[in-house]
Amino acid sequence: MAIDHDHLMNFDIPEVRQSYGLAEVARFGLTVGLGQDPMDMRQLPYVGALADDVRVMPAIVNVLGHPGFWLANPQTGVNALRLVHGEQGITIHKPMPAEATIIAKTRVTGLIDKGEGRGALLYYEKRIREAESGDHLATCRGTTFLRGDGGFGGPMGPVKPAHSLPERAPDHVFDTPTRPEQALSYRWNADPNPLHLDPRVAAKSGFDRPILHGLCTFGFAAHGLLAVMCDYDAGRFGSMDARFTAAVYPGETLRTEIWNDGSFRTRVLDRNAIAINNGLFKLRQAS
């Protein structure tokens, strides 16, 4: 079944209602490197260590209200075996409460046909609102590269431009080691993709061992931005957007390189590979 542009643009992805609290907040913080220094009082509120101070790591919005692997539905017309997560972004409209029931709705926002044999780009967003108040808490957005689905006669643009990084050394660096079992822990944030867990599946995909979830790497970058740009004050965290450019293996050390204008990228120190590139962070504007 080939992609039908209008059908996929209007594909109904069921909304998700989810309740979360301290356990989910602390688990997410721990799985993106917070708490590695148990004496750092700035990190402890994000991992549930302080009874009188609980804070939420902003990148948790990527895993709240997750709609599941909806592109595997044959009715989408997508070749789900050949898709790649290309870009991710989040905007925090209101600091995330420490516990809440949220409603998330995901929709397709754009579909670009790169041509026969060249694949397609699918743009999507997820809006998260608090169930009780209706407040719009966050928006997540992403780009999926559909490698096997070009040439369906859809529009060829406009393509989202990549942010250009400054051509000079970064103003700050933030290093965080990942743990060998990092993917095994992160999978409990609603992502049980066996590519990150099962060595047999990883081998069939061309990797010598399971790779880290892209959103886990994104979370480590968000940790660096929270530390450097916000001094661990989640209320100042506005938005971040970036492009995935290389895989990370659990156990490798990540260095997030940050410029004062909000530009950033994340480097795998062990192999000098850029895992996240063309990043842009913005502080949240006070309401």
Side-chain angles (χ1 to χ4, degrees):
M1 177 180 177
I3 286 178
D4 179 298
H5 176 270
D6 292 343
H7 175 70
L8 188 51
M9 283 294 299
N10 293 285
F11 194 82
D12 183 37
I13 305 164
E15 70 177 22
V16 177
R17 186 183 184 96
Q18 178 184 356
S19 297
Y20 71 89
L22 178 60
E24 291 77 15
V25 167
R27 179 178 64 210
F28 183 82
L30 289 166
T31 57
V32 295
L34 285 151
Q36 287 190 358
D37 180 356
M39 295 298 291
D40 187 344
M41 293 296 293
R42 301 172 304 165
Q43 296 187 39
L44 297 183
Y46 294 97
V47 296
L50 305 179
D52 60 343
D53 190 0
V54 178
R55 304 183 191 182
V56 182
M57 205 291 180
I60 196 175
V61 298
N62 280 325
V63 302
L64 292 178
H66 182 56
F69 191 22
W70 63 272
L71 280 170
N73 186 329
Q75 296 303 311
T76 64
V78 169
N79 182 345
L81 296 177
R82 297 194 62 194
L83 60 80
V84 175
H85 192 174
E87 298 171 315
Q88 186 68 18
I90 61 175
T91 297
I92 308 300
H93 305 291
K94 183 178 179 181
M96 298 298 294
E99 58 179 338
T101 297
I102 56 97
I103 297 173
K105 179 65 176 177
T106 301
R107 68 184 184 96
V108 178
T109 58
L111 187 59
I112 307 299
D113 187 352
K114 296 175 67 68
E116 184 69 33
R118 300 183 60 203
L121 297 174
L122 183 143
Y123 301 123
Y124 59 91
E125 73 169 21
K126 177 181 70 177
R127 294 192 175 192
I128 299 174
R129 58 187 175 88
E130 191 173 17
E132 183 175 355
S133 67
D135 289 348
H136 186 188
L137 299 175
T139 300
C140 305
R141 54 195 161 269
T143 304
T144 300
F145 181 29
L146 309 177
R147 295 183 297 163
D149 295 297
F152 55 88
M156 302 184 70
V159 175
K160 177 185 174 183
H163 172 67
S164 296
L165 301 181
E167 295 183 1
R168 60 179 179 83
D171 298 299
H172 315 272
V173 296
F174 187 85
D175 292 353
T176 317
T178 67
R179 295 181 58 83
E181 73 278 13
Q182 199 76 53
L184 301 178
S185 299
Y186 189 86
R187 65 93 70 201
W188 296 107
N189 294 311
D191 195 341
N193 185 338
L195 174 64
H196 309 294
L197 311 172
D198 189 333
R200 298 167 298 181
V201 174
K204 290 179 181 178
S205 298
F207 299 101
D208 59 3
R209 59 190 189 276
I211 60 174
L212 196 59
H213 305 71
L215 287 182
C216 184
T217 304
F218 188 93
F220 271 78
H223 177 191
L225 294 165
L226 178 66
V228 172
M229 303 297 280
C230 306
D231 193 25
Y232 283 105
D233 179 358
R236 299 172 61 193
F237 196 106
S239 67
M240 64 179 287
D241 289 87
R243 177 170 291 183
F244 297 111
T245 50
V248 174
Y249 291 103
E252 294 182 317
T253 295
L254 299 177
R255 166 171 290 176
T256 297
E257 302 171 341
I258 304 168
W259 287 262
N260 287 333
D261 69 350
S263 299
F264 71 92
R265 67 187 172 205
T266 298
R267 184 185 303 274
V268 182
L269 286 184
D270 311 64
R271 293 178 283 118
N272 197 32
I274 304 299
I276 290 180
N277 208 356
N278 307 106
L280 180 62
F281 169 81
K282 295 180 181 180
L283 292 168
R284 193 174 73 88
Q285 300 299 313
S287 57

